Every structure is written in structure tokens, then in C-alpha cells.
């Protein structure tokens, strides 16, 4: 994925150099045309891990369910809920 992104960035840089821009101008324009780094990062994150948010919410819910089940089991079987 990194190589592909760098390849696109390099192609944009080369096109700008052919249009007559200097090294620094071509590099800055290529990166500016590529997009906002935060938005690109967010889109990459979503492309690589599309269900990350749902997985984290599911794990959180399952953890809470296990904790409450353990608490209630201790409460009903032992009469107290002291978990050490």
C-alpha cells in the first residue's frame, strides 16, 4: 500500500516537473494535490480495517457482559459480590 501511494505521488511529481515546475514547487504541489494528510490517513485506515469500529464496540459490549455476568453469578451463588 505504501509503495502504491509513493508511486502515485512520484508520478504526480514527475508530471509537474515536465510542466516546468522546479524541484521544490513540484514536490509541494504534488503533496498538496494528493490531499489533506488527515483525510488520506482516515480513508486508508477505513480501507485497511473497514470494521474496526464495530469490532471494538462488540469487544467492549462482550467485556461488559462478562463482567456483569460474573458479578451477578458471585452475588447469587455466594451471597456477596466480593471479587478479589
Amino acid at each position: 500500500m505504501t509503495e502504491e501511494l509513493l508511486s502515485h505521488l512520484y508520478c504526480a511529481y514527475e508530471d509537474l516537473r515536465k510542466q516546468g515546475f522546479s524541484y521544490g514547487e513540484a514536490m509541494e504541489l504534488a503533496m498538496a494535490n494528493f490531499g489533506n494528510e488527515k483525510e488520506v490517513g482516515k480513508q486508508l485506515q477505513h480501507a485497511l480495517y473497514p470494521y474496526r469500529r464495530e469490532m471494538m464496540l462488540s469487544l467492549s459490549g462482550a467485556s461488559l457482559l462478562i463482567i456483569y455476568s460474573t458479578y451477578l453469578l458471585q452475588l447469587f451463588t455466594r451471597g456477596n459480590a466480593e471479587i478479589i
Side-chain angles (χ1 to χ4, degrees):
M1 188 70 104
T2 303
E3 290 177 11
E4 187 174 341
L5 289 172
L6 288 174
S7 171
H8 287 293
L9 191 60
Y10 185 73
C11 287
Y13 164 76
E14 287 292 318
D15 290 340
L16 290 168
R17 287 288 290 170
K18 288 177 185 175
Q19 293 175 14
F21 288 96
S22 70
Y23 171 80
E25 290 174 331
M27 188 61 72
E28 286 180 25
L29 280 172
M31 288 191 298
N33 290 339
F34 205 69
N36 182 358
E37 67 268 7
K38 289 183 182 180
E39 185 61 33
V40 171
K42 184 191 287 187
Q43 289 176 4
L44 278 173
Q45 186 76 12
H46 184 67
L48 292 173
Y49 306 106
Y51 301 109
R52 183 178 181 172
R53 182 173 184 221
E54 291 82 1
M55 181 187 71
M56 294 305 285
L57 288 173
S58 299
L59 287 174
S60 299
S63 296
L64 287 173
L65 184 63
I66 290 170
I67 290 168
Y68 288 132
S69 299
T70 303
Y71 175 79
L72 290 174
L73 181 66
Q74 292 289 324
L75 185 63
F76 291 128
T77 58
R78 293 187 179 179
N80 65 12
E82 291 182 32
I83 300 174
I84 298 174

